Amino acid sequence: MTDQVKIMILGGVREQGKDMFAVQVNDEIYILDAGLKYPDSTLFGIDLVIPDLDFFEQYSDQVVGIFLTHGHADSIGALPYILRKYDIPVFGSQLTIELAKIKVKRENKRLKTSLFHVIDADTEIEFKNSNISFFHTTHSIPDSLGIDVHTNAGEIVYTGDFKFDLSAAPNYRTDLDRLAEISQKNVLALLSDSSNAEATLPNVSEQEIGEYVTNVFRNAKGRVIVAAKASNLIRIQEVLNAAYRTGKKVLLTGRDVAKIVRTAMGLGYLKVPKGLLIRVKDLKEIPENKVVILETGQMGEPLNSLQNMAKKRHTMITIHPGDLIFIATTPSHAVETTVAQTSDMVYQAGGRVIELGRAKSTSGHATGTDLQMLISILKPKFVIPVIGEYRLLEAHKDLAVKAGISQENVIVTRNGDCLNYDFKQTKFYLTDPVPGDDIMIDGSGIGDVGNIVLRDREVLSDDGIFIAVVTIDRRKKKIIAQPQVTSRGFVYIKANRQLMQDSVELIKSTIKNNFEHKKFDWTEIKQDVRNDLEKFLYKKTNRRPVVLPVVMEVNQNRHRALQKRNGKNNDYHSVDVNKSGKRIIKKD
C-alpha cells in the first residue's frame, strides 16, 4: 500500500484562537489541539466559537486521539463539545489534562475520565501508522508541550503556543536538546505559532518581569488590585512572589480562581508561601498598603470585574482613592478598547492604572527572531504558519523565507485546507477540503446560530424592531380590530405618534388591498405588510428596523357559540379586541 500523509487545517489560521489541526497517516488521523476562540464585537450575543464538528461526523472512525499542547482555552476549549458525542482518547501533560477535565465537566454532566491520558515530554506513543512524541516548550502556562508526528516522509512538528526564554523556570523551559534531536530525523513540515510574528523587539525575560512587578508593588501607597487571566499561571506566580517579597497579603477573587488556580496549586505548579493568602473577612484587619487583590478570569472577565469595582457594583471590592490597578496580562487587539474604557472608569473612581503590556515588551508567543531560530534548529523542508490572523501568517512567511526556506515551501493556508503530500514529487498540494467553518455557541445552543441570525441581530442593534399586530376575519375579508404597532430601539413612540398612526393606516390599506386582489395566504399577507412597512419606515426615517408582522384570525366558532349561549344572536353583530387582547362583543 502506498503511504498517504495529509495535513488538515481545522481552525486557527487567519484568526486568533480556535486552534485545531490534524495529521493523517494512511487510515489514522491525529488531532493536534482542540481549541475555541472568544467572539469579537461583530458576533452579537455569541458566547464562544469552536471548529466545525462536521469533521468528526465524517472522520471519527479514523481519529485515534486528540493531542494537547497546553491548558489554555485556545487549545482545549472545544473538547467539551467534541467529547459530548465522540469517545476519542485525549493526551496531554498532567496540568493540561486536569484543566481539560475541568473544562469538559463544566459543560458535560458526565465526565468519562477513562478518555484522558497523562503524558510528558519523555513519552512516545506508538500507533499502527505513526509514533507521536513530545518536547517541552516555553509559554505562559507550565508543562506546555510541542508535538512530533513521525511519518515515512519525515517528521511533522507542531509547536502550539511557544516562545524562547533561556532564563525561564524549569517547568517553562524549551528543551533545545530535544529540538536538535528531532532535526536529525528529517523534519518534513513545521506548523509554528504566528501570533507574535510582527514583533520586532525581543520579549523581556520572565525574570525581568518578576523584578518589575515587585518594584510596582513596593512603590504602591495603597491597595494593589491585579487583573490577570486565570490561565496565565506564570504571571500569577510572579504576582504571588512580588506580594511575598514586599510583605503583602493576597486575596484571590474571580470566577476561575477555585478551579484553575487552586488546581495548579494542588499539583505544585504554583508555589504559594504559607500565610500569603487571605479571605475577604481578613481585609478589615490588614492595612490597605499591605493588600493585593488578584482578580482573575477568562478573556475580558477581569476587566469587567474592574469596571464593576469602579462603578461600585462588585460584590466584594470597591475602588477608591489610593488604589493601584495593575493590568498584568498583555491585552489582545480584541479587548484594547475595553482596557481603555476600564482605565477611564478607574481614574474616575480615584484609582490609577499601570499596564504591564505598555511598560514591558512581553508575550507568551514567539517573536520573529524566535521563529527564525526555531527554523534554523529544525531545518524543516516546509513551513506552514499557523495560529494567527492573516497578516501574521504573511509576516511569518517572510521570516521563513529570510531564514532560508524557499518561497514555494512556505504554505499559507485557510481553515478547511487539506494538504496531501506527493511522495514522488516531494511536495504538498491542495486536495478536497475538509469541514473548516465556525460553529457558534450561544447559551446551550451549538451551531444553531448562523449568518442569517447574526445579520438579524446586527440589524436589531443598528435600527431596532417594529412590531405590527392585526386581527382579521378572512371569511368576511375585513379587519376586526384596530392594528396595534409598537417598537423597541427604533424611535421614541411618544415623540413620533404621527409616524405610528400613519403606520396603522398603511397596514389597513395593505391588508385591504390583499383581500381585494389576491387569494388569501397567511405567508403572503404577512410579507405584504412587512414589505410596505419597511419601505414606508425607511422613507420617513432613513432607518431599516426589523419589521415583525403578527396577523391573527378571529375564532369564528367560538364567536357563534358565545352568541348562542347568550340567546341574543340578532342583537350582537360585531367583535373587537381591546388593548389587553381580550375579545369584546359589541351590541349594534
Side-chain angles (χ1 to χ4, degrees):
M1 184 181 91
T2 303
D3 280 338
Q4 184 182 54
V5 175
K6 291 182 179 179
I7 297 174
M8 293 169 274
I9 310 298
L10 308 179
V13 300
R14 308 190 183 210
E15 62 185 349
Q16 200 66 48
K18 197 163 69 68
D19 304 334
M20 189 161 79
F21 313 93
V23 175
Q24 180 176 347
V25 181
N26 298 333
D27 61 348
E28 292 182 331
I29 294 176
Y30 315 95
I31 304 295
L32 313 179
D33 279 341
L36 58 75
K37 71 176 179 181
Y38 293 102
D40 57 30
S41 58
T42 64
L43 297 179
F44 299 92
I46 299 300
D47 298 321
L48 308 168
V49 183
I50 62 173
D52 197 335
L53 299 183
D54 283 348
F55 178 84
F56 294 94
E57 192 69 31
Q58 297 180 26
Y59 299 100
S60 62
D61 58 330
Q62 296 177 260
V63 175
V64 297
I66 298 173
F67 304 87
L68 306 175
T69 58
H70 65 287
H72 286 166
D74 58 2
S75 173
I76 66 174
L79 280 177
Y81 309 98
I82 297 171
L83 300 184
R84 187 175 293 181
K85 187 174 181 180
Y86 306 99
D87 290 342
I88 301 173
V90 179
F91 302 86
S93 67
Q94 184 179 27
L95 178 61
T96 300
I97 289 297
E98 289 304 316
L99 296 181
K101 287 180 180 179
I102 292 172
K103 184 74 71 173
V104 172
K105 195 171 183 180
R106 182 182 297 166
E107 301 296 335
N108 301 344
K109 292 182 179 179
R110 294 183 179 180
L111 174 66
K112 295 183 180 179
T113 55
S114 60
L115 293 176
F116 294 88
H117 305 275
V118 174
I119 52 90
D120 59 28
D122 296 323
T123 302
E124 183 169 347
I125 309 171
E126 294 184 3
F127 293 96
K128 182 177 68 175
N129 297 308
S130 177
N131 293 348
I132 310 294
S133 57
F134 308 88
F135 56 92
H136 282 301
T137 58
T138 301
H139 190 43
S140 59
I141 188 170
D143 266 10
S144 296
L145 299 172
I147 301 171
D148 175 21
V149 182
H150 172 75
T151 78
N152 287 337
E155 309 302 300
I156 297 176
V157 178
Y158 169 56
T159 64
D161 295 347
F162 89 103
K163 67 176 180 177
F164 287 121
D165 183 355
L166 300 181
S167 67
N171 281 342
Y172 293 88
R173 191 171 298 162
T174 299
D175 190 342
L176 297 177
D177 291 338
R178 177 80 176 105
L179 289 176
E181 180 184 323
I182 293 172
S183 71
Q184 300 302 313
K185 299 179 182 180
N186 177 33
V187 176
L188 173 65
L190 171 62
L191 283 70
S192 184
D193 178 8
S194 308
S195 299
N196 200 30
E198 289 180 321
T200 55
L201 296 175
N203 284 321
V204 173
S205 72
E206 293 300 333
Q207 182 178 355
E208 184 176 336
I209 290 174
E211 293 171 357
Y212 174 76
V213 175
T214 301
N215 287 332
V216 168
F217 284 18
R218 184 173 288 120
N219 295 325
K221 304 302 181 184
R223 297 184 305 179
V224 179
I225 301 176
V226 180
K229 291 181 184 177
S231 57
N232 192 346
L233 293 180
I234 194 169
R235 197 69 70 243
I236 290 175
Q237 182 67 72
E238 288 160 354
V239 169
L240 296 175
N241 292 345
Y244 179 71
R245 292 169 186 156
T246 55
K248 299 179 187 293
K249 301 295 183 180
V250 178
L251 172 68
L252 297 177
T253 65
R255 174 182 171 185
D256 286 344
V257 167
K259 293 182 178 178
I260 294 179
V261 175
R262 294 195 185 280
T263 296
M265 289 167 56
L267 294 173
Y269 291 103
L270 274 179
K271 307 297 183 183
V272 184
K274 187 176 180 180
L276 182 68
L277 300 181
I278 60 173
R279 294 171 293 182
V280 176
K281 66 179 183 180
D282 299 326
L283 289 176
K284 296 179 180 179
E285 303 173 2
I286 301 174
E288 290 195 345
N289 64 346
K290 296 296 182 182
V291 172
V292 174
I293 299 169
L294 178 55
E295 177 70 35
T296 64
Q298 301 178 27
M299 192 63 172
E301 285 176 358
L303 299 176
N304 293 336
S305 295
L306 290 181
Q307 292 182 7
N308 288 332
M309 291 178 189
K311 293 185 289 188
K312 300 183 179 180
R313 294 178 182 174
H314 194 275
T315 55
M316 293 186 293
I317 309 298
T318 298
I319 293 175
H320 52 69
D323 286 345
L324 169 65
I325 312 305
F326 184 60
I327 300 177
T329 302
T330 304
S332 66
H333 296 299
V335 296
E336 283 182 344
T337 301
T338 305
V339 171
Q341 293 171 343
T342 303
S343 297
D344 277 350
M345 293 180 185
V346 169
Y347 280 107
Q348 290 175 23
R352 64 189 184 95
V353 178
I354 294 179
E355 295 181 42
L356 176 62
R358 290 184 180 275
K360 297 290 180 180
S361 175
T362 173
S363 172
H365 302 272
T367 64
T369 302
D370 291 342
L371 295 173
Q372 290 181 319
M373 178 178 172
L374 182 66
I375 290 170
S376 69
I377 294 173
L378 291 178
K379 300 178 179 62
K381 183 172 183 180
F382 294 90
V383 172
I384 304 174
V386 295
I387 310 177
E389 295 161 348
Y390 182 71
R391 73 183 189 284
L392 299 171
L393 305 182
E394 286 290 340
H396 193 166
K397 179 178 180 178
D398 292 342
L399 291 165
V401 171
K402 291 176 181 177
I405 306 297
S406 62
Q407 182 115 1
E408 60 271 18
N409 285 5
V410 184
I411 307 171
V412 175
T413 58
R414 65 178 68 245
N415 291 336
D417 279 354
C418 181
L419 301 172
N420 196 4
Y421 184 69
D422 188 321
F423 279 79
K424 292 182 179 180
Q425 299 187 34
T426 63
K427 67 177 183 179
F428 283 100
Y429 63 91
L430 281 174
T431 186
D432 294 338
V434 294
D437 292 335
D438 288 344
I439 297 294
M440 286 168 276
I441 310 295
D442 186 5
S444 61
I446 302 175
D448 58 351
V449 176
N451 291 331
I452 295 175
V453 174
L454 286 176
R455 188 167 62 248
D456 286 344
R457 291 181 178 182
E458 183 178 6
V459 173
L460 284 169
S461 72
D462 288 340
D463 294 323
I465 186 171
F466 189 92
I467 304 170
V469 182
V470 59
T471 304
I472 64 170
D473 184 335
R474 63 170 168 172
R475 293 184 180 180
K476 296 181 180 180
K477 291 189 174 182
K478 71 175 185 178
I479 298 174
I480 298 301
Q482 179 82 347
Q484 301 291 317
V485 294
T486 188
S487 74
R488 290 292 183 272
F490 171 51
V491 294
Y492 183 50
I493 295 177
K494 290 184 178 180
N496 291 272
R497 293 188 183 278
Q498 189 60 49
L499 177 68
M500 308 304 276
Q501 290 172 8
D502 291 345
S503 299
V504 169
E505 295 304 317
L506 177 67
I507 294 167
K508 290 180 180 179
S509 175
T510 299
I511 292 178
K512 182 180 178 181
N513 184 64
N514 183 281
F515 282 153
E516 291 177 354
H517 299 98
K518 297 181 180 181
K519 185 178 179 179
F520 184 84
D521 179 86
W522 283 109
T523 302
E524 194 163 354
I525 197 170
K526 290 179 182 179
Q527 190 61 48
D528 286 351
V529 172
R530 181 183 293 110
N531 289 342
D532 288 357
L533 276 175
E534 284 177 347
K535 293 175 184 176
F536 170 76
L537 294 174
Y538 182 74
K539 182 179 179 180
K540 293 292 184 179
T541 66
N542 280 338
R543 301 178 196 170
R544 299 185 187 276
V546 173
V547 175
L548 180 63
V550 180
V551 182
M552 301 182 294
E553 183 181 9
V554 69
N555 190 327
Q556 293 291 335
N557 293 331
R558 184 180 177 189
H559 179 200
R560 286 193 291 270
L562 186 58
Q563 287 178 324
K564 185 175 181 180
R565 186 163 60 248
N566 289 337
K568 299 179 181 178
N569 294 5
N570 296 327
D571 295 334
Y572 293 84
H573 299 286
S574 62
V575 176
D576 201 353
V577 178
N578 67 9
K579 292 182 179 179
S580 63
K582 294 182 179 179
R583 195 181 314 282
I584 305 298
I585 300 176
K586 294 183 178 180
K587 187 173 182 179
D588 288 348

